[in-house]
Amino acid sequence: MNNSVTNTARLLGAGLRALLVLTLVTGVIYPLVVTGIAQGLFPGRANGSEIRADGKVVGSSLIGQAYNLPLKRGQETPEPDLKWFQGRPQNGLGANSVNTQYKLILSGATNLAADSKVLVQQVKDAKAAVVKDNSVPGYTVKPSAVPADAVTSSGSGLDPNISPAYADLQVHRIAEKNNLPLAQVQKLVDEHTDGRTLGFMGEPRVNVLELNIALKDLAARK
C-alpha cells in the first residue's frame, strides 16, 4: 500500500515537473526567442507592416482600405471619394457583427461562379461606374481600357494593390479633382509602381494607401 502511494506520488511529481518544463520551454522561452529574432531581422513585418503618416499609423501595406464619402441620410452604400485613388472592389465581404465600433474590413470572396448572373451584373455595373467616374473634360475612358482588377475583388477582398493600368486610368480624375498638374500625378503613380518580386514573381503593382499618402502630401504643397 505504501509503495503504491509512493510510486503514484513519484509519477505525479515527474508529470508535474515535465509540465512545468514544457510550459517554460514552449510557452515562454520559444515565443521570446521567435519574437526576438523577428524583431531583430524583420521588425516591419513583425509589427504588421505598418504605414505611418503625420506621425501615426494609418494602415498596413498588406491590407486594402476604402476611400468613401460619409453616408448620407437614408444611404446604405457609401459613394467613393473621387479625390483619392480607388482600390479594387470589396465584394463578398461578410457583415461585421463582432466589432461594429471600428467597422473592421472582413476577409472573404464572393464565392460566385464565373457564369453567375449576379457576378456578371456586378462586373458590368462596376465597369460602368469606372468609366463614368474617371471620364473628365478632355479625357473619356473607353470600356475596353478598364482593367480586370478595377471591376473584380480579390480572393480575400483585402488586396492593398492595384495594377499600374488601373492607377494610370485614374490619373486624369485625380488631377482634375485636386487641381493638380497631370504630369505631377502621373509621376506619383510611376514612383509608386513596384515591379515583379525578384523580377519574375507576381505582377507589377501600386500600393493604394502609399500612393494616396503621397497624393495628400503633393496636394498640401500646391
Side-chain angles (χ1 to χ4, degrees):
M1 183 68 176
N2 291 335
N3 289 338
S4 178
V5 172
T6 302
N7 290 335
T8 299
R10 288 176 178 175
L11 290 174
L12 288 174
L16 181 59
R17 288 192 295 273
L19 176 61
L20 292 174
V21 170
L22 288 174
T23 300
L24 179 64
V25 172
T26 62
V28 179
I29 297 177
Y30 177 74
L32 288 176
V33 170
V34 172
T35 300
I37 293 174
Q39 290 291 340
L41 298 179
F42 316 103
R45 295 180 182 179
N47 292 320
S49 301
E50 297 173 339
I51 294 180
R52 292 179 173 271
D54 300 325
K56 61 182 180 180
V57 176
V58 295
S60 169
S61 63
L62 303 178
I63 300 178
Q65 297 187 21
Y67 301 90
N68 297 325
L69 295 169
L71 284 172
K72 301 176 183 177
R73 183 184 298 274
Q75 190 179 41
E76 295 183 359
T77 302
E79 299 175 0
D81 189 343
L82 297 180
K83 73 177 182 179
W84 302 110
F85 283 95
Q86 296 294 313
R88 299 184 64 173
Q90 298 174 341
N91 296 326
L93 302 183
N96 181 5
S97 60
V98 179
N99 189 336
T100 55
Q101 179 180 359
Y102 298 106
K103 298 180 180 179
L104 302 178
I105 297 177
L106 304 182
S107 174
T110 63
N111 290 326
L112 296 175
D115 59 352
S116 167
K117 293 182 179 180
V118 174
L119 179 61
V120 171
Q121 190 60 49
Q122 285 181 355
V123 171
K124 288 182 178 179
D125 291 344
K127 177 174 285 191
V130 169
V131 170
K132 176 179 178 293
D133 291 343
N134 291 281
S135 293
V136 298
Y139 176 76
T140 301
V141 176
K142 297 180 180 178
S144 59
V146 178
D149 64 306
V151 297
T152 58
S153 60
S154 63
S156 68
L158 302 179
D159 192 346
N161 305 314
I162 57 176
S163 66
Y166 187 26
D168 289 341
L169 183 147
Q170 300 182 62
V171 164
H172 287 78
R173 165 176 56 80
I174 294 296
E176 194 265 341
K177 294 292 183 181
N178 292 278
N179 296 315
L180 292 170
L182 181 65
Q184 290 187 11
V185 179
Q186 184 63 61
K187 183 180 179 182
L188 277 187
V189 172
D190 295 340
E191 291 174 346
H192 287 81
T193 298
D194 295 321
R196 291 180 171 86
T197 303
L198 300 179
F200 67 94
M201 296 174 59
E203 296 293 332
R205 59 202 180 276
V206 180
N207 188 282
V208 182
L209 176 55
E210 294 177 347
L211 180 58
N212 277 332
I213 292 173
L215 172 62
K216 180 182 178 181
D217 293 340
L218 177 62
R221 297 195 302 269
K222 71 177 181 180

